[in-house]
Amino acid sequence: MANIQYVTKEGLEKLREELHQLETFERPKISQQIADARDKGDLSENAEYDAAKEAQGMLEMQIAKLKEVVAYARVIDESKLDHSKVSILSKVKIKNTANGQELVYTLVPESEADLAKMRISVNTPIAKGLLGKSLGEVAEITLPNGMTLNFEILEISLD
């Protein structure tokens, strides 16, 4: 059985749109490239044909993976989340107790992580250390390099 992956409603829509794009537009485009390359004659020495067939294989793998993700995706019910503690979809303002630097992160499912937007996966060491903590608590987080950081939770809100 495949792994269940939790997503937001918007995240699921984005996955479905991407799947639709690949099946509706990209698949026919590659089929046409294969047909065009086939029309050029001898397939044993036709690099365009080989490249198009390889692209088709990669596309079909991508489509199959997306179909599986969509099939096993579960939308997070925000009404059942405890907003008094850090949880998935929480926007949390933290302060590094060592240097006083403040950061704001939103904890999201892995498929929706985007560090440029300060949206980190709940599977990251920082997020794992913050999950379940309440306002004012200090989270001790051990990074993969063995370094330990302490973050005080300043604010918790929904994104």
Side-chain angles (χ1 to χ4, degrees), residues 82-96:
D82 181 359
H83 304 302
S84 66
K85 296 182 178 187
V86 178
S87 64
I88 193 164
L89 303 183
S90 290
K91 184 175 189 175
V92 60
K93 183 176 184 179
I94 56 176
K95 180 172 79 173
N96 185 327

Side-chain angles (χ1 to χ4, degrees), residues 29-126:
K29 193 185 312 181
I30 288 182
S31 294
Q32 186 60 47
Q33 289 173 354
I34 291 171
D36 291 347
R38 190 179 294 132
D39 290 343
K40 293 183 179 175
D42 186 12
L43 297 181
S44 65
E45 295 180 16
N46 189 332
E48 282 182 50
Y49 178 79
D50 292 339
K53 287 298 280 183
E54 186 173 331
Q56 181 185 40
M58 298 297 285
L59 178 70
E60 292 303 326
M61 279 187 353
Q62 191 177 3
I63 288 171
K65 183 179 179 192
L66 265 175
K67 279 184 173 183
E68 183 176 338
V69 169
V70 169
Y72 289 100
R74 300 294 179 262
V75 176
I76 299 165
D77 184 353
E78 294 180 38
S79 67
K80 293 184 180 178
L81 297 176
D82 181 359
H83 304 302
S84 66
K85 296 182 178 187
V86 178
S87 64
I88 193 164
L89 303 183
S90 290
K91 184 175 189 175
V92 60
K93 183 176 184 179
I94 56 176
K95 180 172 79 173
N96 185 327
T97 58
N99 63 15
Q101 181 183 15
E102 292 184 4
L103 301 163
V104 178
Y105 290 118
T106 302
L107 280 54
V108 296
E110 191 161 341
S111 63
E112 298 176 37
D114 183 350
L115 194 54
K117 295 179 181 176
M118 302 304 282
R119 296 169 60 91
I120 61 172
S121 166
V122 291
N123 296 329
T124 62
I126 290 176

Side-chain angles (χ1 to χ4, degrees), residues 10-28:
E10 296 80 23
L12 183 57
E13 283 305 311
K14 194 173 174 183
L15 290 170
R16 286 181 176 152
E17 286 171 18
E18 183 180 354
L19 182 58
H20 176 72
Q21 172 73 21
L22 294 176
E23 289 180 323
T24 308
F25 300 105
E26 298 302 321
R27 187 182 269 162

